Amino acid sequence: GQVPIIVASGNPDNDMEMDAYDAGADVFLTKPFNLQQLRDEVRDAIKSENNIRVSVRRLNGKDEVNRLRTRLP
């Protein structure tokens, strides 16, 4: 799987935040942030990645089932 990219910045500039997301960041935190916020963001990013992986597997599985069905007489 992918490792979530978390950007922590002391600059609360919206342009910097958008640049971080455009560059592929999953989470943008403005310092100072508390440890619980960081934990929550990391947990949510990992859950999101896992949900995407499961969805892709399901879609791939459905495609395979549909492909096999078209071969049946």
Side-chain angles (χ1 to χ4, degrees):
Q2 274 190 294
V3 175
I5 298 171
I6 299 171
V7 175
S9 173
N11 186 349
D13 180 37
N14 283 342
D15 289 336
M16 182 180 282
E17 182 176 355
M18 294 312 300
D19 288 344
Y21 284 122
D22 288 344
D26 297 296
V27 176
F28 184 91
L29 296 173
T30 303
K31 295 182 213 175
F33 54 86
N34 66 46
L35 192 54
Q36 188 59 49
Q37 180 184 13
L38 176 61
R39 285 183 187 134
D40 292 345
E41 293 290 356
V42 169
R43 183 194 64 233
D44 291 347
I46 291 170
K47 279 184 183 178
S48 179
E49 176 63 29
N50 287 339
N51 288 341
I52 290 169
R53 191 176 309 120
V54 167
S55 295
V56 167
R57 284 184 188 149
R58 285 184 183 148
L59 288 174
N60 286 339
K62 287 180 183 176
D63 289 344
E64 183 66 16
V65 168
N66 289 335
R67 188 181 65 76
L68 292 172
R69 281 185 181 153
T70 60
R71 290 183 164 186
L72 294 176

